[in-house]
Amino acid sequence: MATGEYVPHAPGYVDTDDPKIVTSRFGYEDSYTLDRYLATGGYEGLKAALGRTSEACHNITREATVLGRGGAGFPAGIKWGFCPPDVWPRYLVVNGDESEPGTYKDRLLMERDPHQLIEGCLIACYSIGLTQCFLYVRGEMAVAQQRLADALNEAYEAGYVGKNILGTDFSVDIVLHWGAGAYIVGEETALIESLEGNRGMPRLKPPFFPAAVGLYGQPTIVNNVETLANLPWLMSNGAEAYKQYGSETSPGTRMFAVSGHVKRPGVYEVEQGVTTYEDLLYGDKYCQGIRDGHELKMFIPGGGSAPWLFPEHVSLPLEARPVGAAGTMLGSGAIVVMDDSTDAVKACLRVVRFFARESCGKCAPCREGTSWEEKILQRILDGNGRPEDLDLLLDIGDNISPGPYPVASDESQGLEAVPFPPRQTTICPLGPSSVAPIVSALRRFRHEFEAKIATPVELGLRGPNAPSEAEETGLRGPNAPSEAEETGLRGPNAPSEAEEVAS
Amino acid sequence: MSRLNEANVALAHEIIARYPKPKSALIPLLHLAQEQDGWVTDEAMAHLAELVGVTPAEVKGTCTFYEMFKLHPTGRYMVNICTNIACQVLGAEDLLHHAEETLGIRPGGTTDDGMFTLEDVECIAACTEAPCLQVNYRFGLRLSIDDFDEMIADLRERGRSDHLITANPGEPIPSHGTLGLSRQHLTEERTAGIVAPELVTEAPVWLTFEPKQEEGA
């Protein structure tokens, strides 16, 4: 059914009149075929790259400041430069294990435009001498795997991948690899462990910085799908053209997935830095505001790991630095919007439960701490919370991420923001991420937690920590202080007056 | 059943050959075993251990880390309903509850006729299309309760449903264990050559070669 007609959008993607760098083909029904790719400027970026020296291509990427789109936002050109000069071979590992709650852009890029990703991989390999590329796709993305397998077979057949690409000395193999369901494998060292056939547990940095000691102990560049998808356009149009979009410190465009209680949720490609959360959430060409009859209560600004933001923060630009200073992160470009119908405790529990389920179990503070956090939040939600639980939650969080945890400002309470990132007692940031919803929700909505703890009676059932019947009725239960203690009268087993005087 | 059949052994060798070190093929090979049997058997794991040159315990160690590998038989269709935050705020719990009532099983359970296994899963990357689910890792988006019922009836009757998105329109939903319907094939004449890292000592030739024509940056 490859009609080639431009349809308004692929499922989830919303087309706007904004400049497009990575989603330019999403409207075509057959966007994933080699024919459509070639008809729309495909592999021209590779040809432009091969017309230059490798070093020149690396320099263009460096000049353009292509920021990593996976979450950390580190410039790709600088990351590439971290490979030790004389150690060979070097590998490219593409991080397509997209699983951060709220995030999906890489899946669309792989499903809708697999050749663009392949071309991006080739350009990265050419630029810094990477001789084999592994495309690690999330296990659950069957359609993306199928499209990439087809695209790779086509590209090999047509001479774009493999030996002597386009008649040059440039030769590289791209291997499709896929995972099997583990969020933590999105962390780059865990991804490498998984690619070596092991349990996907993160490695300690140092020494295991992938650019120095990565796959099979060799220098390895791990780049996000969206990051690489920018390279074909960049090579065709140059760094200056790329920098015309976005802000000075965050050039180019970025894909944002806005989900939750907005009128038109979707994946949008917008200019970074110059667009704000407000534009995206309320703009007519974007999400068109909160659904009717409701108001914004809070939003997750950068994936499940990000501390929450609130209505007064919507004017922040979509740029890593100001969002970091505001106490959270731009992260993976995932915005989850929650309106006033949302129960803050329930939302907090749901995000924490995710981290408890996905903890790999390597570091004790995370392995134990995340499940404790989940259990405590569950009992508060069930009406069995204890008054000390709120401090207990914060204490557990402090053991995973010591010190003041990043959190947004709260003018109504006169509280300032604590800037990102959090500190950690763990190898990777998964455990500390579980603290984000707790600190965010507790600081802002402590009264909601307290209300649940103060009113444990639901449907007439009493939780174990509810005030005892005795306390309420005046009847004495077995653990009530004895009459003797209260009245000063001595019972038969009390120490004798003589014993007390002696001690 | 259990050990890989002859055709799959040939495929396994092809997959192993793509990696500089054989153990890297383990996750794709476990998927292959699951594709053959619908779940991962001890015999299959022992066979994979022989193929990649590790112990069966190492294979099991890897296998048990990953949620998609099932160590017991499942239904023909794995129905995975996302209940993570973006879906939760738009009614995923109602959908899950409805699925439990309709299928008569709790998450983790399989219907008596062996058709459906239900799971309550984490974010599956379709957040703007909540509530969403996957059936054998094919997406169903913005599903109402009626849509869900229709989808279940479709799967029972025809083995596919218009509520589920496949790579090509009209493709059937394969039984549990099969992911993408196509595979990558590296041919001898086109491959750049997969070599063990210890055999490479020099920078690749193109890093030093002069490009044929110079274009403006």
Side-chain angles (χ1 to χ4, degrees):
Chain A
M1 290 242 299
T3 61
E5 276 173 35
Y6 197 89
V7 293
H9 57 79
Y13 171 70
V14 182
D15 192 21
T16 68
D17 57 4
D18 283 1
K20 296 182 190 67
I21 289 179
V22 290
T23 65
S24 63
R25 294 179 193 88
F26 277 24
Y28 295 106
E29 201 174 351
D30 61 348
S31 60
Y32 48 88
T33 62
L34 182 60
D35 286 347
R36 172 60 60 191
Y37 193 63
L38 293 175
T40 49
Y43 291 107
E44 291 301 322
L46 175 66
K47 287 177 192 159
L50 292 176
R52 305 182 180 112
T53 61
S54 297
E55 203 182 351
C57 294
H58 187 177
N59 283 337
I60 292 170
T61 311
R62 213 185 264 139
E63 275 164 36
T65 325
V66 180
L67 300 178
R69 306 304 207 254
F74 196 78
I78 298 188
K79 193 181 203 177
W80 293 358
F82 289 157
C83 290
D86 297 317
V87 186
W88 308 98
R90 297 169 175 176
Y91 297 108
L92 175 65
V93 176
V94 182
N95 189 343
D97 192 61
E98 176 177 63
S99 6
E100 180 74 25
T103 313
Y104 82 105
K105 57 196 180 68
D106 299 342
R107 177 171 72 80
L108 291 183
L109 287 169
M110 294 187 284
E111 286 180 1
R112 304 298 308 178
D113 207 344
H115 283 284
Q116 179 175 255
L117 173 60
I118 292 169
E119 190 178 353
C121 295
L122 293 168
I123 292 164
C125 289
Y126 177 72
S127 301
I128 45 169
L130 312 170
T131 42
Q132 195 176 352
C133 166
F134 298 91
L135 246 168
Y136 194 119
V137 184
R138 183 174 171 186
E140 287 92 335
M141 296 178 179
V143 171
Q145 292 155 20
Q146 185 166 336
R147 292 265 167 83
L148 277 164
D150 288 337
L152 279 169
N153 289 337
E154 278 181 311
Y156 263 99
E157 191 60 35
Y160 292 108
V161 190
K163 192 159 55 181
N164 299 121
I165 292 165
L166 298 174
T168 66
D169 284 346
F170 175 48
S171 302
V172 67
D173 279 315
I174 301 181
V175 169
L176 178 63
H177 186 89
W178 58 106
Y183 164 72
I184 188 56
V185 167
E187 197 278 337
E188 58 182 6
T189 58
L191 188 79
I192 288 169
E193 276 289 320
S194 182
L195 185 52
E196 290 183 5
N198 302 325
R199 295 169 77 83
M201 291 175 163
R203 296 170 174 175
L204 197 61
K205 300 190 257 189
F208 295 106
F209 287 109
V213 188
L215 184 64
Y216 314 127
Q218 297 298 125
T220 303
I221 295 297
V222 184
N223 276 152
N224 171 263
V225 167
E226 191 188 346
T227 314
L228 292 162
N230 273 281
L231 300 180
W233 191 97
L234 175 63
M235 288 299 144
S236 295
N237 297 280
E240 283 311 310
Y242 188 83
K243 285 158 89 170
Q244 281 175 7
Y245 301 122
S247 69
E248 206 182 323
T249 41
S250 293
T253 63
R254 225 186 131 164
M255 290 169 78
F256 287 90
V258 193
S259 57
H261 294 139
V262 283
K263 282 188 189 145
R264 190 167 66 173
V267 178
Y268 299 87
E269 181 175 0
V270 302
E271 291 186 60
Q272 302 192 84
V274 292
T275 316
T276 64
Y277 282 103
E278 191 166 16
D279 296 337
L280 207 47
L281 265 49
Y282 294 96
D284 267 352
K285 64 176 176 178
Y286 305 118
C287 298
Q288 302 172 345
I290 309 302
R291 59 181 184 169
D292 289 332
H294 292 276
E295 278 175 21
L296 177 63
K297 179 171 182 173
M298 62 225 178
F299 62 102
I300 303 176
S305 304
W308 301 352
L309 290 177
F310 304 95
E312 69 265 33
H313 303 114
V314 292
S315 58
L316 280 169
L318 296 167
E319 179 166 359
R321 212 169 297 171
V323 174
T328 179
M329 65 168 176
L330 198 55
S332 51
I335 302 167
V336 184
V337 179
M338 291 173 267
D339 69 18
D340 51 18
S341 70
T342 314
D343 180 332
V345 181
K346 198 171 174 185
C348 176
L349 167 64
R350 191 58 193 84
V351 182
V352 168
R353 182 176 162 218
F354 169 76
F355 292 110
R357 275 182 162 193
E358 296 295 341
S359 174
C360 80
K362 188 165 183 169
C363 315
C366 167
R367 180 184 63 234
E368 306 300 327
T370 52
S371 60
W372 293 345
E373 288 167 347
E374 184 196 348
K375 281 176 198 154
I376 294 166
L377 283 162
Q378 184 72 59
R379 76 180 176 219
I380 293 173
L381 189 70
D382 290 347
N384 298 327
R386 306 166 189 171
E388 65 271 26
D389 276 351
L390 303 186
D391 288 335
L392 185 57
L393 278 171
L394 294 173
D395 188 50
I396 294 167
D398 198 61
N399 278 306
I400 306 174
S401 180
Y405 193 88
V407 64
S409 63
D410 184 347
E411 278 169 30
S412 65
Q413 300 182 63
L415 298 171
E416 295 200 351
V418 177
F420 209 75
R423 290 194 283 176
Q424 58 195 57
T425 58
T426 50
I427 288 174
C428 89
L430 187 149
S433 297
S434 75
V435 185
I438 294 174
V439 171
S440 302
L442 257 181
R443 176 145 137 174
R444 188 78 169 201
F445 305 113
R446 196 176 179 102
H447 54 279
E448 288 192 32
F449 288 79
E450 286 169 347
K452 282 193 165 52
I453 291 171
T455 51
V457 182
E458 213 171 88
L459 304 170
L461 297 173
R462 305 186 73 88
N465 303 307
S468 71
E469 218 175 334
E471 282 161 347
E472 282 176 343
T473 58
L475 297 171
R476 307 188 74 85
N479 301 315
S482 72
E483 217 175 334
E485 282 162 346
E486 281 177 344
T487 57
L489 297 173
R490 308 185 76 83
N493 300 316
S496 72
E497 221 173 335
E499 277 164 346
E500 276 182 343
V501 171
S503 68
Chain B
M1 294 271 277
S2 299
R3 283 176 71 89
L4 294 188
N5 62 34
E6 211 174 301
N8 283 338
V9 169
L11 262 176
H13 285 299
E14 197 188 325
I15 292 170
I16 292 168
R18 287 181 215 155
Y19 296 92
K21 298 204 170 176
K23 197 185 176 190
S24 280
L26 208 43
I27 290 175
L29 294 183
L30 283 160
H31 277 300
L32 187 64
Q34 183 150 284
E35 187 173 330
Q36 178 182 289
D37 299 331
W39 58 294
V40 185
T41 64
D42 281 344
E43 292 84 348
M45 284 190 271
H47 194 184
L48 298 187
E50 290 167 30
L51 289 169
V52 301
V54 298
T55 66
E58 283 177 271
V59 177
K60 195 161 195 168
T62 296
C63 180
T64 52
F65 187 80
Y66 299 92
E67 207 154 308
M68 287 171 73
F69 296 132
K70 304 302 175 193
L71 294 168
H72 49 80
T74 67
R76 179 179 171 84
Y77 300 111
M78 183 74 71
V79 180
N80 294 355
I81 298 180
C82 173
T83 58
N84 206 307
I85 187 74
C87 285
Q88 186 198 49
V89 299
L90 288 169
E93 285 170 339
D94 295 338
L95 184 63
L96 179 65
H97 182 70
H98 175 76
E100 289 178 336
E101 295 293 312
T102 311
L103 299 172
I105 45 177
R106 293 275 179 226
T110 301
T111 52
D112 288 340
D113 60 3
M115 284 292 275
F116 299 101
T117 297
L118 184 63
E119 287 198 340
D120 153 21
V121 298
E122 297 300 342
C123 188
I124 49 178
C127 316
T128 69
E129 309 306 294
C132 63
L133 54 70
Q134 287 184 321
V135 174
N136 290 352
Y137 306 102
R138 273 73 178 171
F139 281 100
L141 306 175
R142 298 197 190 205
L143 281 195
S144 70
I145 278 165
D146 291 340
D147 293 340
F148 181 85
D149 291 344
E150 253 177 51
M151 181 195 82
I152 294 293
D154 286 346
L155 287 170
R156 280 193 201 280
E157 283 162 30
R158 303 186 283 144
R160 50 175 294 264
S161 169
D162 292 340
H163 291 292
L164 296 172
I165 299 170
T166 49
N168 298 298
E171 250 171 29
I173 306 294
S175 59
H176 177 248
T178 301
L179 294 172
L181 292 181
S182 16
R183 298 180 199 279
Q184 183 184 8
H185 291 291
L186 282 186
T187 57
E188 194 66 40
E189 62 270 20
R190 285 292 326 149
T191 174
I194 313 280
V195 283
E198 52 272 23
L199 300 178
V200 182
T201 51
E202 306 241 309
V205 285
W206 75 81
L207 272 192
T208 47
F209 83 176
E210 284 300 310
K212 285 184 202 115
Q213 81 272 12
E214 199 63 55
E215 281 180 31

